[in-house]
Every structure is written in C-alpha cells, then in structure tokens.
Amino acid sequence: MPPEKKTPILKHPLVKIFFWIALIWVACIYFLGYFHLPSNKLTVSYTDFKNKVSAGTVSQVTFKGESVYGKLKEPVKVPSEGGAIMTYAEIETTLPPVADPALLGLLESNRVAIIASGKGDSLLTTAMVYLLPWLLLMGFLVYAGRKMQGGMGGGGRGNVFSVGKSKAKLYTKSSSDVTFKDVAGLTNAKAEFVEIIDFLKDPAKYLALGAKLPKGVLLAGPPGVGKTLIARATAGEAGVPFFSISGSEFIEIFVGVGASRVRDLFENAKKDSPAIIFIDELDSIGRARSVGVGGGHEEREQTLNQILAEMDGFSPQESVIVMAATNRPDILDPALVRPGRFDRQVNLDLPQKNARHSILKLHVREVPLTDDVDLESLAKRTVGFSGAELKNLINEAALLAARKGKLKVDSEDLDQGMDKIIMGLEREDLVNDEEKRAIAYHEAGHALMAKLLPGADPLKRVSIIPRGSSLGATEQLPNEDRHNLSRDYLLKRIAIILGGRVAEKLVYNDITTGAGDDLKKATQLARRMVCQWGMSDALGPITFPKGEQDRYLGREVADVKDFSENTARLIDDEILGVLRGMEKRAEEILKSHRDKLDILANALLEQEVLMNDEVDRLLGPMTPPSAEAGREGDRRAAGDAA
Ligand code: ADP
Ligand code: ZN
C-alpha cells in the first residue's frame, strides 16, 4: 500500500484547536478587561476618599464588595503621567479590612446618596478571565475526542473543525478486484492462502466440522515483495471485504485514539464478516515492549493491547481473518505470535529469477515492447530487485521511451531504467577530464579482472557514466541466482572488487577516494568468509556472530562478542590476510596485462560504455594468468566452502 499523506503540521487538528483557544482567550481578556478598567474613575486612597466626602464634593457612593465608587458633583482635572490632563467624574477606593463604623455617619451627614450593590463583580470578572479559557480548552478536547470516535463509524470524518481532510481515512474498506492472477511468483505463499480463501468463501462448512483456522497470519518479508498485494488478492479471491490500515497511522493524534480505532476497525469488520483485516507495518505498534526507545510508548502499548484483546475476543464464528505485514518479524512482541493471535507466519522473499521473469511479464501487459527486448535476460540481471522495484523499472523505461518520442519501449530504455533505479539519476557535468581518466582506469581494472579470472561472473558491461553516488560501474552477469558460493568464487569476487583500486595505483601510483566503497564491500565479504562461513584455516570450522547479516535488513547485526581477545586478533589477521592476498593477485594480473588495461581505459574514455562483446573485441585473445598467481591468499583462506 502506498503510505497515506501525512497531515502537514499547521493543518494538524491540535494546532487548530490551540489557535482558536488562544484567539478566544485574547478576546476574553480584552473585552472583560475593557469593562473592568473604565478610564473615567480616579483611584484614590481611603483617607482621600473620606476627605472628599467631608469636603462635600461627592454626591453618591456605591458599595460593591470591597470597592467603593463615588460620583463627584463636579468633574476634577488631574494631570496624568504622560502630561495630558484627564477629567474624572468618579472616584474609586477600596475599603480597609477593618470595618469603619464612622463612615456611614460621615456619608449621611454630608447628604451623600448610598447605593449598595451586593457582591462585587470584580471577583467574578477576574474568575471569568482566568477560568474561561480553561473551560473552553476542556470543552474542545471533549468535543474533539467525541468527533474522533464518533467519526470512525462512518470511516471518514475523524477530523476536528473539518480540517486535516487527509487524515479522514482511518482505515479503508474495499472490495478487492485484485486476484491471484495479479500476483506473480510467491507460489508458496499462495498455497498457504488456498485454505483461508476456501474458509472465507464458506465459513459454515468449516464451522460445522469444528475446524479451526488461524485468526491471524503474519506476512514477513522485505519491502516491496508483495505482502499487501497478496493479502488484497486473498480478499479478492474469496470475494470478501478488505479492511486495511497501517500501523504507523494508529499512533497519531490523541492518546487513546489508537485503541479506539482498533476497536472500531474490528467492530466494522465483524459486521461485514466474512472479511479480512490487514494491518500494514505491524512492527510500528507491535515491537517488543522492552525494545522501544523514545516517546509514544503508552499509546503504542494501548493500541497493541487493544489488538490483542480484539483477537482474543472474537470467536471462530465471526469469520474475520487478520493479516499483518512486517519486515521485522524478529522484533515483534512475543505476545503477538502466541497461539490464537498471529500464530501463522508466511515468509515472502525477494523473487528468484523465474519469479522476476513472471513479475516483469505481468507488468508489461500494457506496455508495448520492441522485439529486441528480452525479459528473460532482464530477469537474470535484476538479482535482488523486489516486485515493486521491477514494476518501477518497467515504468521508468516507459517514461524514458515516451520522453524520447518512441512508440515502443526498447531494451536501451530498460537498461537505462535499471541504471536509474540502481544508482539514482545521471549527473554528467560534475566530473572533469582528469577525474574521468582515473575513473576509466578504475573501471577498466574491474573489467579486466573479471575477464581474466575464469569462473567469475561473466562481464556484462562497463561504463564511466557517473550516476547518483557512483562514478562508474562494472556490471557482471551472474549465471543464476547463486545460493552456494564457493570459496574460490568469493576470492575471485574480492580480487575483482579490489581490481579497480589496484589499477589506479598502477597507473597513478596513487589512490582516490572513489575506491572507498569497493574497500567496504571487499572487507565485508572477507569478514563473512572468515566469521560466518568458516573459510579460514587458522580459525577452523567455526562461526562468529560478528559477520552475520540481518536476514531482512541486509545489515550486520550488532557485535556480540563471545570470543577472546586472542581470537578477535586472529579474526582481524585472517580478514586482512584474505584482502592482502587478493590485492596482490590483482596487482600481478593487471601488471602483466598493462597494455590491455590501457586499451580498455582509452576505449572507455572515448565511448563511456562498453558491452561485453566490445570488450572481447578490444582485448583480443588472451592467456589467462598462471594458476599460481596470488596463491598466498588462497592458502590463508583454505577450507571447505559453505
Ligand atoms: P509490500 O506490502 O510487501 O511492501 P506491496 O504489496 O505494496 O509490497 O508491493 C508493491 C507493488 O509491487 C505491488 O502493488 C505490485 O504492483 C508490485 N509487486 C510486488 N510483488 C509482486 C508480485 N509478486 N507480483 C506482481 N506484482 C508485484
Ligand atoms: Zn570500483
């Protein structure tokens, strides 16, 4: 599922609410303050007030709580601080805390009219100024909360003041028109769902026999492999409604909303059962409780607990299957995968060659291709592409063809589309001639090594067109998706990777930073050979967690050190040994073929891209390097292949 647009921060309902409250607050203070501070009353001391009464200048007094206002017979003129002359018709004072019994007598003897207006309103006014905004705030929160919950029933009104419309979809309900025809490959996963589809089509058949189906299915796999697609297709095959929501959407606005959204989602799905509920990005709510860092804990936990409660709560009769997708099944809260919850896990892996071929075929259904397009060879070259990336590749190629005014997509468009996806956009003008020459030698080094090492992946093409972060590329064509890599093959791969750097050193007696990425790759490979695949003689058939890869992220897992300092040093020695040995091998090979290196580099400078057959033509017949060359590296890393 494409992620839903996030509400921009200024349109966020909370921001709106605070804006309104601030506005009303200011208005309150302004208006109440205005009535509270009439400008025609002169504040005087109590003694002054009494003096004025004694002098007979006051005609009437009004008692309001502790305040006393006196109307003057004649307005007085008083210069203000600013120098302007102000005219006052009234005076104001505050009664002393000790009762003054003489006051009434004084007023009466001076024939002053007395008005008592009960409780002073100044207290009330003050209270209003301070309390009103809080009352308003509370009122709005209650109102907003109601809206959030009430709006969910309709599945489309979860907003405050009708703003933040993009947040409107709390979940989507759709009758899926996608079926298994639209899913290429993934045969195992499809087989897993056959039973579930049958159940959803006719739950009564299963219920009559007391057969229990899983309530929850966890779809695990890297992004873009078709987790959402297959869940949707399952709904389509069974002809049942598909309720989908993304885990990250649960945790957004107000605390407690996540849980109520879950409740609402399940309620509606039950009403429409049989149905499928799909929760994308389950790991964003379902990560193990101890693992999470940072804020939003409580909300996440409440949401998670609500999901668990809902799943525990519904009976088989309700015929709702919950599917959830994650690319990190390893970090999920164990409570989620307990029986009766997501107790069935279906793993989706990156597509293999045949699957890639059928995915490509599926997505070119509406794309006219020229006859020279060979989808099978494209499938071969797209090792590691996900279904989503293959789809994207076709689309990029179609866009390129359209931009060039072509009527059909040809293999050149597809090649360029592939480059674009792998390495980002072209950025031609950034490299000067001298740099270009160095790059040409670097790539020629890789290419020549690939040509001269029998058993390595055959060369496909080599280019010095800079794209994205890479300055050139040497592309090899793996024979098939390799699962078992032999030690010999891996060593050759390292030698080829180091070939670029070695060529630079040979020609310029210097190395550029451009080889940094190669070094990283070579080191990683060597480390895995030593630590993970037991390919080092000195260490023997043992594995260390140091080089292990996270299955879903392709990253190395955290260093867990469960070996001695001594072993650590030995590991480092062995890795360096492999790298040194292969560097030496590359050096020997390239040195003895220096003429060929020059030919290739010059041809690259001229043409920028060379295909394998052009490289062959340029190089002519060659004698492969003697088998003895660079044996040192081999000897160090002897042992059986994994
Ligand atoms: P995920 O949910 O695993 O991240 P999606 O199901 O959203 O991946 O896949 C994104 C898109 O990639 C799909 O809509 C589909 O067009 C394409 N795709 C992925 N896998 C396949 C496949 N096996 N067959 C056909 N198309 C696929
Ligand atoms: Zn390189």
Side-chain angles (χ1 to χ4, degrees):
M1 270 207 23
E4 243 174 63
K5 264 199 190 153
K6 289 264 170 346
T7 315
I9 183 75
L10 278 173
K11 291 223 173 120
H12 197 284
L14 260 182
V15 174
K16 283 267 172 184
I17 289 177
F18 280 117
F19 172 76
W20 279 105
I21 286 170
L23 200 74
I24 290 165
W25 197 324
V26 168
C28 284
I29 287 177
Y30 179 76
F31 283 113
L32 293 174
Y34 178 80
F35 293 125
H36 191 62
L37 297 169
S39 56
N40 60 342
K41 281 193 187 104
L42 178 66
T43 308
V44 296
S45 69
Y46 184 65
T47 316
D48 243 10
F49 171 78
K50 272 169 83 170
N51 288 342
K52 285 201 156 62
V53 172
S54 310
T57 54
V58 179
S59 63
Q60 179 190 320
V61 295
T62 307
F63 289 90
K64 267 188 187 173
E66 282 156 15
S67 299
V68 185
Y69 306 99
K71 218 175 235 169
L72 298 175
K73 286 179 182 157
E74 304 267 310
V76 291
K77 288 184 165 42
V78 179
S80 78
E81 272 171 43
I85 307 292
M86 308 288 286
T87 311
Y88 295 97
E90 264 188 278
I91 53 170
E92 178 187 3
T93 194
T94 308
L95 290 175
V98 187
D100 180 3
L103 181 62
L104 270 182
L106 181 71
L107 291 171
E108 268 168 6
S109 64
N110 284 287
R111 298 169 189 273
V112 177
I114 299 168
I115 298 168
S117 82
K119 278 228 158 179
D121 70 353
S122 64
L123 197 76
L124 184 71
T125 315
T126 315
M128 286 285 276
V129 171
Y130 288 105
L131 279 181
L132 196 70
W134 293 110
L135 289 173
L136 281 169
L137 175 69
M138 268 164 66
F140 275 122
L141 284 180
V142 169
Y143 169 74
R146 284 252 188 83
K147 265 264 174 186
M148 300 311 301
Q149 289 179 19
M152 283 204 298
R157 283 176 287 116
N159 46 48
V160 182
F161 297 130
S162 302
V163 293
K165 278 258 172 4
S166 60
K167 200 58 235 154
K169 266 190 191 160
L170 296 163
Y171 59 75
T172 53
K173 178 195 162 187
S174 57
S175 52
S176 176
D177 49 3
V178 179
T179 63
F180 278 179
K181 277 202 313 294
D182 305 291
V183 185
L186 301 180
T187 28
N188 292 340
K190 280 184 191 171
E192 289 268 359
F193 288 127
V194 167
E195 195 182 44
I196 289 177
I197 291 167
D198 197 48
F199 166 77
L200 290 170
K201 273 184 178 160
D202 186 7
K205 186 170 80 184
Y206 284 77
L207 295 173
L209 293 170
K212 283 199 181 72
L213 261 97
K215 284 181 186 171
V217 181
L218 191 63
L219 294 160
V225 288
K227 298 184 291 292
T228 313
L229 183 70
I230 202 164
R232 202 177 276 280
T234 305
E237 287 285 328
V240 301
F242 183 73
F243 292 81
S244 70
I245 188 159
S246 166
S248 58
E249 282 165 28
F250 275 125
I251 326 261
E252 258 175 25
I253 309 184
F254 299 114
V255 177
V257 170
S260 69
R261 283 187 187 188
V262 172
R263 216 176 303 126
D264 185 69
L265 174 63
F266 276 79
E267 220 160 77
N268 281 283
K270 277 189 258 180
K271 254 187 250 157
D272 277 354
S273 76
I276 287 180
I277 290 177
F278 179 71
I279 304 173
D280 204 357
E281 303 174 57
L282 182 67
D283 39 296
S284 61
I285 17 176
R287 59 178 61 224
R289 285 164 234 224
S290 56
V291 174
V293 278
H297 272 260
E298 233 168 87
E299 178 65 1
R300 204 160 52 75
E301 252 166 58
Q302 276 182 21
T303 308
L304 176 60
N305 288 338
Q306 189 66 35
I307 291 179
L308 297 178
E310 293 286 350
M311 289 187 76
D312 290 344
F314 65 62
S315 66
Q317 276 78 9
E318 274 159 328
S319 318
V320 174
I321 303 269
V322 188
M323 296 193 181
T326 178
N327 47 18
R328 297 299 310 274
D330 50 319
I331 60 163
L332 287 184
D333 194 310
L336 271 170
V337 292
R338 234 169 259 153
R341 294 167 179 175
F342 294 102
D343 50 3
R344 194 176 290 188
Q345 181 170 337
V346 177
N347 290 318
L348 309 187
D349 282 320
L350 288 172
Q352 301 292 294
K353 195 189 84 191
N354 288 337
R356 290 198 300 272
H357 191 189
S358 36
I359 293 171
L360 286 169
K361 276 197 284 194
L362 201 97
H363 288 291
V364 296
R365 276 182 304 190
E366 261 122 61
V367 180
L369 302 173
T370 58
D371 291 338
D372 72 321
V373 172
D374 180 0
L375 288 185
E376 187 161 359
S377 111
L378 190 59
K380 261 190 203 171
R381 279 154 45 208
T382 41
V383 183
F385 274 52
S386 69
E389 280 163 338
L390 291 168
K391 180 188 178 184
N392 194 12
L393 160 60
I394 301 286
N395 188 47
E396 286 292 345
L399 287 173
L400 283 167
R403 206 180 305 149
K404 292 181 206 152
K406 294 182 191 169
L407 294 175
K408 286 180 171 183
V409 173
D410 59 29
S411 57
E412 192 195 322
D413 302 324
L414 286 165
D415 277 350
Q416 284 181 16
M418 191 164 145
D419 287 349
K420 200 169 163 189
I421 288 171
I422 294 178
M423 287 171 284
L425 288 163
E426 277 188 45
R427 31 156 235 189
E428 243 164 314
D429 41 23
L430 292 181
V431 183
N432 66 36
D433 284 353
E434 195 41 49
E435 280 175 318
K436 216 164 190 165
R437 214 172 94 90
I439 297 163
Y441 269 103
H442 179 104
E443 296 305 328
H446 286 311
L448 198 56
M449 288 301 292
K451 280 274 128 190
L452 286 168
L453 291 173
D457 291 333
L459 186 69
K460 204 227 149 199
R461 59 174 211 163
V462 45
S463 90
I464 55 164
I465 300 174
R467 274 157 212 279
S469 62
S470 107
L471 299 167
T474 302
E475 225 184 298
Q476 286 167 272
L477 188 65
N479 286 331
E480 70 262 32
D481 300 352
R482 289 185 188 258
H483 295 293
N484 276 326
L485 308 173
S486 75
R487 179 183 50 87
D488 183 56
Y489 168 82
L490 289 168
L491 288 173
K492 278 174 184 157
R493 204 142 107 181
I494 293 175
I496 294 169
I497 293 172
L498 292 174
R501 194 180 122 95
V502 168
E504 281 186 64
K505 214 160 98 183
L506 216 61
V507 177
Y508 294 99
N509 200 21
D510 197 4
I511 309 161
T512 62
T513 51
D517 201 49
D518 287 345
L519 269 191
K520 209 164 104 191
K521 261 191 263 169
T523 312
Q524 251 168 21
L525 214 53
R527 163 165 295 138
R528 295 180 71 190
M529 287 177 72
V530 171
C531 295
Q532 204 180 331
W533 297 321
M535 290 182 180
S536 143
D537 236 4
L539 286 158
I542 183 169
T543 163
F544 302 96
K546 219 179 167 187
E548 247 168 55
Q549 295 255 325
D550 182 294
R551 188 166 163 225
Y552 290 97
L553 290 183
R555 264 196 234 127
E556 277 182 30
V557 296
D559 270 20
V560 187
K561 218 164 159 214
D562 54 1
F563 42 80
S564 71
E565 281 301 313
N566 222 2
T567 312
R569 205 167 308 124
L570 202 56
I571 290 176
D572 290 341
D573 282 353
E574 284 296 295
I575 293 171
L576 197 61
V578 169
L579 293 171
R580 281 248 166 83
M582 287 307 105
E583 187 184 35
K584 202 165 165 227
R585 192 160 165 188
E587 243 168 52
E588 280 161 3
I589 293 176
L590 292 181
K591 233 181 227 163
S592 60
H593 291 83
R594 177 60 205 264
D595 53 332
K596 307 280 185 197
L597 190 67
D598 291 335
I599 293 174
L600 265 191
N602 288 327
L604 270 175
L605 277 172
E606 225 163 79
Q607 300 180 42
E608 297 202 323
V609 184
L610 295 173
M611 300 304 286
N612 183 41
D613 48 356
E614 287 170 282
V615 173
D616 280 341
R617 217 171 333 112
L618 283 165
L619 295 177
M622 287 189 301
T623 39
S626 75
E628 273 311 302
R631 267 292 139 143
E632 197 184 323
D634 287 37
R635 260 200 306 281
R636 277 178 155 279
D640 271 331

